[in-house]
Amino acid sequence: MRLTSAQFEALQAMANAAEGKSTTTANEPAASGKGQQDRRKASESVRVSGETIERMRGLVGELIVGSLHRTEWLQELRGLHRRLGALAEGLRARGHESSEARELERDLFRLMGRLDRGMRDAALTADDLDETLLQASLAPLEPWLLSLRTVVRDAVRTAGIQARMDVEAADLSMERALLTSLREPMLHLLRNAVAHGIEPPEVRRDAGKDPVGVIAVTARALGDQVEMVVRDDGGGVNRAALARKLDCPVAELDDDERLLAALASDGVSTARSSTQLAGRGVGMGAVLDGIAGVGGRLTLRSRPGEGTQFTLRVPRRTTSGSGVVVVCGQTPLAVPIHDVERIVRLQEDDFVQVEQARCVEHGDALVSARSIAELIGDLDEPRADGRGRHTALLLRSAGARLIVLVDEVVGDLPLVIKPLGPQFEGVSLYAGCAVEPDGSPLPVLDVGELFRRARTSRFSAIEREVAADVETESDEGTPAPVHALRVLLVEDSMTMRTMERNILQGAGYEVITATDGREGWTRFAADPRIDLVVTDVEMPHMDGIELCRRIRQSDRGHTPVVIVTSLASASDRRRGAQAGADAYVTKGDFDERRFLGTIAKVVDAGA
């Protein structure tokens, strides 16, 4: 990777400015304009490795997080200044004028002013540095896509068909690290278009098509994201062949979303035989994993005789941005700001009932209105304020709009988004996690997943009951209960609570939740139908160890208890065993299949 001389000088100037230095060294006079031009001609760029750029951007991210902490400290100083002013005013009212108190108040005010100005300057410098590094890490997208033509030509030659690849992605760029991660998924999609999409020339002629097939790759910017479309004009996915492989009715594959999930199943391929291009059943699962690994999404549209279209939406950059912080109950969440069109306040008569769905008029269209509790689950329904107004976000995604009701919009916040750990694999609700000014984690919602849930009404009560009837079969090797056992899940982290609840519900368990040990104990004591308790350890009000002890001392002390916690030391495990826990699962080693296997063993042992 190369930095242009202008970018390198900008970085040097920022570094010197941060240390209070001049950009000219003490022993060297300022060079003349001609001398600087000569040096630029002699060296137009400086070679810097991509790894170094990424490390520098990571450090800039830490600077941004640090500035959030300093903002919090400044707010605390302002609070102290107000208290000091009130104290001085109280002394004056009592006739105890204090010149020392007045001087201290003025000094503190001047110090806050200097600190505020310094923080603003530092924040601007960090933003400028981040943008400069981002520009240095970007690569034009169209040449990168054109470089994949060689793979398509080789695949066409191997398959014995005729096809060309068209590319349109002018004036777009992405981070080189993202392009590196996307290379294999893109190659899979292009090879699939050749192996499964484009028909032989004679078949195309008989169908009235040009014997030369077309694989078109286009890209466009959508805010801070890039949408790439890989489309072929072939015969479309052979749903009948796929249904035979899966031993299911063809009608089950009519929906494109189900079709994509079926294609991603292990060992599934519609090819008649295994070749270099197809038939091994490993391609589409790897594509989904690769795209999800960079925070992207993949959708499919396939029509018989017309062809297949894969649409990728991936971030243009990887680390930082801004987000709108909302509160739902007592849970803070962040929404990427590029997905938020505006914040709206709605009266009850703004809602329009269309069949059984709530909508709001927006321009000439009706926009679906859903509460955050409906889409996420495990949250209380947002309530109107004292004047009967509902607070909501108007979200947009790929041309569609959705209104999401929340309790409160706190404001916007710079986000340094970190990827979720391996224990969150398969949790599609979150794009990552950021850090609040006080250091606490802030889950960042994946807006595309909110739209998907709104479209499918996946978390409506009726469909949850239907899903429980049709999804009780688990994967091979994953135990599923014969009947719906009732599980009490006690976890203060909303992210972990959502993930564990979804896993348990997917395996056929009935799940009720609590957000801390005290609430968990209240729910346990009030519900004699609870068959199993799954609990975290570190929680407010009452921890999981104390909850386990109380359960063991109750008249239902035989109820199995499984601890799931980040505490992994031998002493922590001993504490859990001494409290009476039946099993101990660490979050760092969390695996869905082992987790469900542990649950099944504990239930069987207690039966």
Side-chain angles (χ1 to χ4, degrees), residues 336-363:
I337 204 163
H338 58 73
D339 291 316
V340 180
E341 188 165 314
R342 62 191 177 97
I343 299 166
V344 293
R345 301 283 192 272
L346 302 169
Q347 299 286 350
E348 197 61 43
D349 56 9
D350 289 325
F351 295 100
V352 178
Q353 201 74 15
V354 180
E355 294 181 353
Q356 294 183 347
R358 272 198 308 181
C359 297
V360 173
E361 291 186 8
H362 177 73

mmCIF file of all heavy atoms in Angstrom, residues 336-363:
data_model
loop_
_atom_site.group_PDB
_atom_site.id
_atom_site.type_symbol
_atom_site.label_atom_id
_atom_site.label_comp_id
_atom_site.label_asym_id
_atom_site.label_seq_id
_atom_site.Cartn_x
_atom_site.Cartn_y
_atom_site.Cartn_z
ATOM 1 N N PRO A 336 -26.681 2.526 13.536
ATOM 2 C CA PRO A 336 -25.790 3.303 12.653
ATOM 3 C C PRO A 336 -26.528 4.486 12.042
ATOM 4 O O PRO A 336 -27.640 4.353 11.531
ATOM 5 C CB PRO A 336 -25.377 2.283 11.583
ATOM 6 C CG PRO A 336 -25.487 0.956 12.276
ATOM 7 C CD PRO A 336 -26.667 1.084 13.206
ATOM 8 N N ILE A 337 -25.876 5.648 12.090
ATOM 9 C CA ILE A 337 -26.586 6.883 11.732
ATOM 10 C C ILE A 337 -26.940 6.925 10.252
ATOM 11 O O ILE A 337 -27.908 7.574 9.851
ATOM 12 C CB ILE A 337 -25.736 8.111 12.141
ATOM 13 C CG1 ILE A 337 -26.643 9.332 12.331
ATOM 14 C CG2 ILE A 337 -24.616 8.383 11.142
ATOM 15 C CD1 ILE A 337 -26.006 10.455 13.098
ATOM 16 N N HIS A 338 -26.175 6.199 9.407
ATOM 17 C CA HIS A 338 -26.489 6.229 7.981
ATOM 18 C C HIS A 338 -27.773 5.466 7.665
ATOM 19 O O HIS A 338 -28.311 5.586 6.556
ATOM 20 C CB HIS A 338 -25.331 5.672 7.152
ATOM 21 C CG HIS A 338 -24.928 4.276 7.500
ATOM 22 N ND1 HIS A 338 -25.688 3.175 7.177
ATOM 23 C CD2 HIS A 338 -23.834 3.799 8.143
ATOM 24 C CE1 HIS A 338 -25.081 2.088 7.605
ATOM 25 N NE2 HIS A 338 -23.963 2.428 8.191
ATOM 26 N N ASP A 339 -28.282 4.678 8.621
ATOM 27 C CA ASP A 339 -29.543 3.958 8.427
ATOM 28 C C ASP A 339 -30.738 4.730 8.976
ATOM 29 O O ASP A 339 -31.876 4.279 8.836
ATOM 30 C CB ASP A 339 -29.487 2.586 9.102
ATOM 31 C CG ASP A 339 -28.519 1.643 8.413
ATOM 32 O OD1 ASP A 339 -28.535 1.588 7.176
ATOM 33 O OD2 ASP A 339 -27.744 0.960 9.115
ATOM 34 N N VAL A 340 -30.491 5.872 9.627
ATOM 35 C CA VAL A 340 -31.562 6.654 10.256
ATOM 36 C C VAL A 340 -31.888 7.849 9.373
ATOM 37 O O VAL A 340 -31.040 8.703 9.133
ATOM 38 C CB VAL A 340 -31.154 7.129 11.663
ATOM 39 C CG1 VAL A 340 -32.287 7.947 12.292
ATOM 40 C CG2 VAL A 340 -30.804 5.941 12.548
ATOM 41 N N GLU A 341 -33.136 7.893 8.877
ATOM 42 C CA GLU A 341 -33.550 9.035 8.061
ATOM 43 C C GLU A 341 -33.896 10.221 8.945
ATOM 44 O O GLU A 341 -33.495 11.348 8.677
ATOM 45 C CB GLU A 341 -34.735 8.647 7.186
ATOM 46 C CG GLU A 341 -35.118 9.707 6.176
ATOM 47 C CD GLU A 341 -36.033 9.165 5.100
ATOM 48 O OE1 GLU A 341 -35.751 8.076 4.550
ATOM 49 O OE2 GLU A 341 -37.043 9.840 4.795
ATOM 50 N N ARG A 342 -34.646 9.981 10.001
ATOM 51 C CA ARG A 342 -34.932 11.043 10.967
ATOM 52 C C ARG A 342 -35.601 10.456 12.202
ATOM 53 O O ARG A 342 -36.044 9.305 12.194
ATOM 54 C CB ARG A 342 -35.780 12.169 10.382
ATOM 55 C CG ARG A 342 -37.150 11.793 9.893
ATOM 56 C CD ARG A 342 -37.749 12.952 9.099
ATOM 57 N NE ARG A 342 -39.045 12.642 8.536
ATOM 58 C CZ ARG A 342 -40.206 12.961 9.076
ATOM 59 N NH1 ARG A 342 -40.235 13.607 10.224
ATOM 60 N NH2 ARG A 342 -41.342 12.654 8.491
ATOM 61 N N ILE A 343 -35.657 11.278 13.252
ATOM 62 C CA ILE A 343 -36.352 10.934 14.490
ATOM 63 C C ILE A 343 -37.748 11.538 14.407
ATOM 64 O O ILE A 343 -37.912 12.692 14.007
ATOM 65 C CB ILE A 343 -35.596 11.481 15.709
ATOM 66 C CG1 ILE A 343 -34.192 10.867 15.766
ATOM 67 C CG2 ILE A 343 -36.350 11.203 16.996
ATOM 68 C CD1 ILE A 343 -33.266 11.591 16.712
ATOM 69 N N VAL A 344 -38.771 10.753 14.767
ATOM 70 C CA VAL A 344 -40.147 11.233 14.650
ATOM 71 C C VAL A 344 -40.862 11.107 15.992
ATOM 72 O O VAL A 344 -40.535 10.251 16.809
ATOM 73 C CB VAL A 344 -40.934 10.456 13.563
ATOM 74 C CG1 VAL A 344 -40.370 10.750 12.190
ATOM 75 C CG2 VAL A 344 -40.910 8.958 13.825
ATOM 76 N N ARG A 345 -41.811 11.999 16.217
ATOM 77 C CA ARG A 345 -42.704 11.950 17.381
ATOM 78 C C ARG A 345 -44.118 11.718 16.847
ATOM 79 O O ARG A 345 -44.600 12.479 16.002
ATOM 80 C CB ARG A 345 -42.655 13.255 18.181
ATOM 81 C CG ARG A 345 -41.265 13.608 18.699
ATOM 82 C CD ARG A 345 -40.873 12.785 19.897
ATOM 83 N NE ARG A 345 -39.681 13.311 20.546
ATOM 84 C CZ ARG A 345 -38.444 13.004 20.237
ATOM 85 N NH1 ARG A 345 -38.231 12.154 19.243
ATOM 86 N NH2 ARG A 345 -37.414 13.515 20.866
ATOM 87 N N LEU A 346 -44.777 10.710 17.329
ATOM 88 C CA LEU A 346 -46.070 10.298 16.777
ATOM 89 C C LEU A 346 -47.159 10.327 17.844
ATOM 90 O O LEU A 346 -46.948 9.836 18.952
ATOM 91 C CB LEU A 346 -45.966 8.880 16.194
ATOM 92 C CG LEU A 346 -44.917 8.681 15.084
ATOM 93 C CD1 LEU A 346 -44.741 7.190 14.807
ATOM 94 C CD2 LEU A 346 -45.327 9.412 13.826
ATOM 95 N N GLN A 347 -48.297 10.906 17.485
ATOM 96 C CA GLN A 347 -49.484 10.820 18.326
ATOM 97 C C GLN A 347 -50.243 9.539 17.982
ATOM 98 O O GLN A 347 -50.027 8.942 16.916
ATOM 99 C CB GLN A 347 -50.387 12.041 18.100
ATOM 100 C CG GLN A 347 -49.750 13.373 18.447
ATOM 101 C CD GLN A 347 -49.646 13.604 19.941
ATOM 102 O OE1 GLN A 347 -50.213 12.862 20.741
ATOM 103 N NE2 GLN A 347 -48.915 14.650 20.335
ATOM 104 N N GLU A 348 -51.124 9.134 18.856
ATOM 105 C CA GLU A 348 -51.857 7.886 18.631
ATOM 106 C C GLU A 348 -52.657 7.940 17.332
ATOM 107 O O GLU A 348 -52.792 6.931 16.632
ATOM 108 C CB GLU A 348 -52.784 7.615 19.820
ATOM 109 C CG GLU A 348 -53.284 6.186 19.896
ATOM 110 C CD GLU A 348 -52.165 5.164 20.053
ATOM 111 O OE1 GLU A 348 -51.237 5.421 20.852
ATOM 112 O OE2 GLU A 348 -52.225 4.124 19.362
ATOM 113 N N ASP A 349 -53.208 9.134 16.982
ATOM 114 C CA ASP A 349 -54.013 9.218 15.761
ATOM 115 C C ASP A 349 -53.163 9.294 14.496
ATOM 116 O O ASP A 349 -53.696 9.375 13.393
ATOM 117 C CB ASP A 349 -54.989 10.400 15.824
ATOM 118 C CG ASP A 349 -54.276 11.728 16.079
ATOM 119 O OD1 ASP A 349 -53.038 11.753 16.040
ATOM 120 O OD2 ASP A 349 -54.980 12.738 16.306
ATOM 121 N N ASP A 350 -51.824 9.282 14.630
ATOM 122 C CA ASP A 350 -50.958 9.205 13.445
ATOM 123 C C ASP A 350 -50.902 7.785 12.886
ATOM 124 O O ASP A 350 -50.497 7.583 11.740
ATOM 125 C CB ASP A 350 -49.530 9.655 13.780
ATOM 126 C CG ASP A 350 -49.441 11.151 14.034
ATOM 127 O OD1 ASP A 350 -50.181 11.898 13.361
ATOM 128 O OD2 ASP A 350 -48.646 11.562 14.895
ATOM 129 N N PHE A 351 -51.285 6.809 13.708
ATOM 130 C CA PHE A 351 -51.203 5.416 13.277
ATOM 131 C C PHE A 351 -52.436 5.042 12.469
ATOM 132 O O PHE A 351 -53.562 5.430 12.800
ATOM 133 C CB PHE A 351 -51.065 4.482 14.484
ATOM 134 C CG PHE A 351 -49.783 4.671 15.242
ATOM 135 C CD1 PHE A 351 -49.757 5.422 16.408
ATOM 136 C CD2 PHE A 351 -48.604 4.111 14.792
ATOM 137 C CE1 PHE A 351 -48.580 5.604 17.116
ATOM 138 C CE2 PHE A 351 -47.423 4.276 15.487
ATOM 139 C CZ PHE A 351 -47.403 5.033 16.653
ATOM 140 N N VAL A 352 -52.197 4.275 11.410
ATOM 141 C CA VAL A 352 -53.266 3.773 10.550
ATOM 142 C C VAL A 352 -53.231 2.259 10.611
ATOM 143 O O VAL A 352 -52.157 1.645 10.470
ATOM 144 C CB VAL A 352 -53.076 4.249 9.093
ATOM 145 C CG1 VAL A 352 -54.175 3.680 8.195
ATOM 146 C CG2 VAL A 352 -53.042 5.759 9.018
ATOM 147 N N GLN A 353 -54.373 1.643 10.836
ATOM 148 C CA GLN A 353 -54.449 0.191 10.893
ATOM 149 C C GLN A 353 -54.743 -0.359 9.499
ATOM 150 O O GLN A 353 -55.770 -0.055 8.906
ATOM 151 C CB GLN A 353 -55.549 -0.260 11.871
ATOM 152 C CG GLN A 353 -55.384 -1.682 12.366
ATOM 153 C CD GLN A 353 -54.258 -1.815 13.385
ATOM 154 O OE1 GLN A 353 -53.782 -0.823 13.930
ATOM 155 N NE2 GLN A 353 -53.820 -3.042 13.624
ATOM 156 N N VAL A 354 -53.808 -1.132 8.955
ATOM 157 C CA VAL A 354 -53.989 -1.773 7.657
ATOM 158 C C VAL A 354 -54.033 -3.270 7.905
ATOM 159 O O VAL A 354 -53.015 -3.886 8.243
ATOM 160 C CB VAL A 354 -52.845 -1.423 6.691
ATOM 161 C CG1 VAL A 354 -53.060 -2.118 5.348
ATOM 162 C CG2 VAL A 354 -52.772 0.087 6.501
ATOM 163 N N GLU A 355 -55.231 -3.867 7.739
ATOM 164 C CA GLU A 355 -55.470 -5.246 8.141
ATOM 165 C C GLU A 355 -55.073 -5.370 9.613
ATOM 166 O O GLU A 355 -55.660 -4.758 10.470
ATOM 167 C CB GLU A 355 -54.711 -6.210 7.223
ATOM 168 C CG GLU A 355 -55.239 -6.179 5.794
ATOM 169 C CD GLU A 355 -54.518 -7.143 4.877
ATOM 170 O OE1 GLU A 355 -53.521 -7.749 5.296
ATOM 171 O OE2 GLU A 355 -54.976 -7.292 3.730
ATOM 172 N N GLN A 356 -54.019 -6.136 9.943
ATOM 173 C CA GLN A 356 -53.634 -6.279 11.353
ATOM 174 C C GLN A 356 -52.316 -5.585 11.651
ATOM 175 O O GLN A 356 -51.704 -5.817 12.691
ATOM 176 C CB GLN A 356 -53.533 -7.765 11.704
ATOM 177 C CG GLN A 356 -54.863 -8.488 11.635
ATOM 178 C CD GLN A 356 -54.750 -9.928 12.064
ATOM 179 O OE1 GLN A 356 -53.664 -10.473 12.185
ATOM 180 N NE2 GLN A 356 -55.888 -10.557 12.312
ATOM 181 N N ALA A 357 -51.857 -4.726 10.747
ATOM 182 C CA ALA A 357 -50.557 -4.075 10.920
ATOM 183 C C ALA A 357 -50.735 -2.583 11.163
ATOM 184 O O ALA A 357 -51.613 -1.934 10.581
ATOM 185 C CB ALA A 357 -49.692 -4.305 9.683
ATOM 186 N N ARG A 358 -49.873 -2.029 12.026
ATOM 187 C CA ARG A 358 -49.865 -0.589 12.257
ATOM 188 C C ARG A 358 -48.964 0.088 11.231
ATOM 189 O O ARG A 358 -47.845 -0.368 10.988
ATOM 190 C CB ARG A 358 -49.345 -0.267 13.662
ATOM 191 C CG ARG A 358 -50.401 -0.268 14.714
ATOM 192 C CD ARG A 358 -49.973 0.462 15.970
ATOM 193 N NE ARG A 358 -48.704 0.016 16.501
ATOM 194 C CZ ARG A 358 -48.141 0.510 17.605
ATOM 195 N NH1 ARG A 358 -48.744 1.492 18.253
ATOM 196 N NH2 ARG A 358 -47.002 0.053 18.044
ATOM 197 N N CYS A 359 -49.432 1.176 10.648
ATOM 198 C CA CYS A 359 -48.645 1.919 9.669
ATOM 199 C C CYS A 359 -48.746 3.409 9.981
ATOM 200 O O CYS A 359 -49.613 3.848 10.743
ATOM 201 C CB CYS A 359 -49.139 1.660 8.250
ATOM 202 S SG CYS A 359 -48.988 -0.058 7.709
ATOM 203 N N VAL A 360 -47.835 4.171 9.375
ATOM 204 C CA VAL A 360 -47.840 5.630 9.502
ATOM 205 C C VAL A 360 -47.680 6.206 8.100
ATOM 206 O O VAL A 360 -46.868 5.719 7.305
ATOM 207 C CB VAL A 360 -46.690 6.116 10.416
ATOM 208 C CG1 VAL A 360 -46.605 7.640 10.404
ATOM 209 C CG2 VAL A 360 -46.893 5.611 11.840
ATOM 210 N N GLU A 361 -48.454 7.241 7.791
ATOM 211 C CA GLU A 361 -48.331 7.889 6.488
ATOM 212 C C GLU A 361 -47.025 8.667 6.428
ATOM 213 O O GLU A 361 -46.703 9.452 7.317
ATOM 214 C CB GLU A 361 -49.516 8.831 6.243
ATOM 215 C CG GLU A 361 -50.833 8.119 6.035
ATOM 216 C CD GLU A 361 -51.952 9.073 5.662
ATOM 217 O OE1 GLU A 361 -51.651 10.262 5.427
ATOM 218 O OE2 GLU A 361 -53.113 8.647 5.620
ATOM 219 N N HIS A 362 -46.260 8.437 5.345
ATOM 220 C CA HIS A 362 -45.014 9.165 5.123
ATOM 221 C C HIS A 362 -45.005 9.580 3.663
ATOM 222 O O HIS A 362 -44.797 8.764 2.776
ATOM 223 C CB HIS A 362 -43.802 8.281 5.443
ATOM 224 C CG HIS A 362 -42.485 8.958 5.166
ATOM 225 N ND1 HIS A 362 -41.996 9.963 5.958
ATOM 226 C CD2 HIS A 362 -41.573 8.765 4.178
ATOM 227 C CE1 HIS A 362 -40.842 10.362 5.477
ATOM 228 N NE2 HIS A 362 -40.562 9.653 4.399
ATOM 229 N N GLY A 363 -45.239 10.879 3.420
ATOM 230 C CA GLY A 363 -45.373 11.322 2.040
ATOM 231 C C GLY A 363 -46.616 10.702 1.432
ATOM 232 O O GLY A 363 -47.715 10.788 1.971
#
